[in-house]
Amino acid sequence: MPNEPSNAAPTPSAAISAIVPARNEEPSIAACIKSLARQPEIAEILVVNDQSTDKTAEIVRGLMASIPNLRLLETQGVPAGWVGKNYAVSLGAKEAKNPWLLFTDADAEHEPGAAARALQVAQETSAALVSFSPEQVLGKWYEKALIPFIFCRLARKFSYDAVNDPSSPDAAANGQFLLIRRGPYDAVGGHASVAAEVLEDVALARRIKSAGYRLAFQSGKGIVRVRMYRSFASMWEGWTKNLYKLIGGTPKDVFREMDSTFPWIVLLVLLLGIKFPFALFAGVWLLIFRQINYGSELTRNQFPFSLILYYVPAVALYAGVLWASYRRYARGKVEWKGREYPVQAPGTLK
């Protein structure tokens, strides 16, 4: 079958070790591994099972017979001062034997030629770190509402041009596809240097760039795709863990985001419409105008224009998860996949 991974040994040009942290990834791990196995540039696939309680490890073992360059590693708990994912990928990096390390999530599916494209970008740009922001697979209504809205907001903060400009201090990467040369990775201390970071991908990119290496951050449309969350609860937990830090990590950043994204004037005009019918008419047109502007932003970020239909729930969900993320950091801890991690409390929002 054309979609099945080959039993052939890696080609001599294979230069990449793929490292996949996996904690309870039963629904997606097989598709991820098979997509990596179809990349001739990947010499080995190291799946690091992080104490999964589902069939993740069993599925990986079942694939090892048909994918000879696939290995399964096991964590034995998480040491103090580490985030679980960071510790898992650090174990994979220690075992890796190749000059390029590809860190990718278990829910990522890599299109044919993805690894070759990443190496090509590295060669063309002289980048030590290449990262693609994956194409987002959106299933439920809440995914279609919240995820594109967040990515549009983040595109304003982490523009590809600024990140890729060596003279700019801006740095970013997406841990769902992060390819890095072994030498620079070791030179900055690898994942041990960002052991406690919840946003380890951005933190690692900052260390790489501040050490004088180049970054190449690009859209991953047609290269890698991800369905990040398969339930509302996991989506809420995931963005609660990440969003506060992504938008800047200070209470002032939260205030600015709330002020710039929530349609306060539209809401006020609509409320005036209860007493003045013309205000209701004007409020509706203002809302439509906001939706059309959002549609333009969606298309610039390679999402369907039709997702403007989710604008109102998108704004509501974004405001809710941003506030929840701030409150988590204010309490000094975040949760992810059954574990709690201490974070620096940001103080009080004023």
Side-chain angles (χ1 to χ4, degrees), residues 13-18 41-46 93 95-101 180-183:
S13 62
I16 299 173
S17 295
E41 295 76 18
I42 295 179
E44 61 178 347
I45 305 167
L46 304 173
E95 293 290 324
K97 300 180 176 66
N98 293 279
W100 286 94
L101 307 177
I180 186 169
R181 275 198 292 122
R182 185 62 187 250

Side-chain angles (χ1 to χ4, degrees), residues 306-320:
S306 60
L307 293 178
I308 63 170
L309 297 174
Y310 296 92
Y311 172 71
V312 172
V315 171
L317 285 171
Y318 184 76

Side-chain angles (χ1 to χ4, degrees), residues 150-167:
I150 288 179
F151 272 84
C152 286
R153 297 304 301 175
L154 295 180
R156 295 186 179 200
K157 184 172 180 60
F158 301 108
S159 77
Y160 295 136
D161 288 343
V163 170
N164 297 337
D165 182 356
S167 65

Side-chain angles (χ1 to χ4, degrees), residues 68-86:
N69 60 338
L70 172 62
R71 294 173 57 196
L72 178 64
L73 308 176
E74 299 278 354
T75 67
Q76 304 296 326
V78 182
W82 283 83
V83 170
K85 176 184 177 180
N86 301 346

Side-chain angles (χ1 to χ4, degrees), residues 122-348:
Q123 183 177 24
E124 292 172 349
T125 63
S126 300
L129 186 156
V130 177
S131 184
F132 295 127
S133 183
E135 180 179 351
Q136 297 298 313
V137 178
L138 307 171
K140 303 292 186 179
W141 71 266
Y142 47 81
E143 297 170 83
K144 295 176 183 178
L146 182 60
I147 292 175
F149 194 90
I150 288 179
F151 272 84
C152 286
R153 297 304 301 175
L154 295 180
R156 295 186 179 200
K157 184 172 180 60
F158 301 108
S159 77
Y160 295 136
D161 288 343
V163 170
N164 297 337
D165 182 356
S167 65
S168 167
D170 291 1
N174 190 312
Q176 294 163 333
F177 191 111
L178 195 159
L179 181 73
I180 186 169
R181 275 198 292 122
R182 185 62 187 250
Y185 176 78
D186 289 340
V188 301
H191 278 86
S193 67
V194 294
E197 293 284 351
V198 174
L199 289 178
E200 86 295 334
D201 45 8
V202 176
L204 186 60
R206 286 174 177 157
R207 291 187 64 82
I208 288 290
K209 193 170 190 180
S210 64
Y213 300 103
R214 294 187 67 119
L215 305 180
F217 189 34
Q218 300 182 3
S219 168
K221 188 174 179 62
I223 299 173
V224 57
R225 56 196 179 100
V226 170
R227 185 174 183 188
M228 295 179 67
Y229 307 111
R230 295 173 185 267
S231 71
F232 184 87
S234 64
M235 183 185 76
W236 190 266
E237 184 183 53
W239 286 118
T240 299
K241 172 176 69 75
N242 292 335
L243 189 56
Y244 175 77
K245 292 287 287 184
L246 283 168
I247 60 100
T250 72
K252 287 184 179 180
D253 292 317
V254 175
F255 179 82
R256 280 195 292 264
E257 276 295 292
M258 291 287 194
D259 186 52
S260 63
T261 59
F262 199 83
W264 302 103
I265 294 177
V266 176
L267 181 61
L268 178 61
V269 174
L270 287 172
L271 288 174
L272 287 172
I274 297 173
K275 188 172 183 180
F276 305 103
F278 178 77
L280 180 62
F281 177 78
V284 170
W285 276 105
L286 284 172
L287 182 59
I288 292 172
F289 181 72
R290 295 276 301 220
Q291 284 184 295
I292 292 172
N293 280 342
Y294 177 50
S296 298
E297 197 166 10
L298 284 167
T299 55
R300 284 197 303 272
N301 289 282
Q302 301 182 326
F303 288 104
F305 183 84
S306 60
L307 293 178
I308 63 170
L309 297 174
Y310 296 92
Y311 172 71
V312 172
V315 171
L317 285 171
Y318 184 76
V321 77
L322 178 56
W323 181 254
S325 185
Y326 162 72
R327 293 304 301 160
R328 278 289 180 187
Y329 278 81
R331 295 187 187 106
K333 61 183 179 181
V334 296
E335 297 179 7
W336 182 238
K337 293 194 174 183
R339 291 171 175 156
E340 283 189 346
Y341 299 108
V343 291
Q344 184 175 359
T348 302

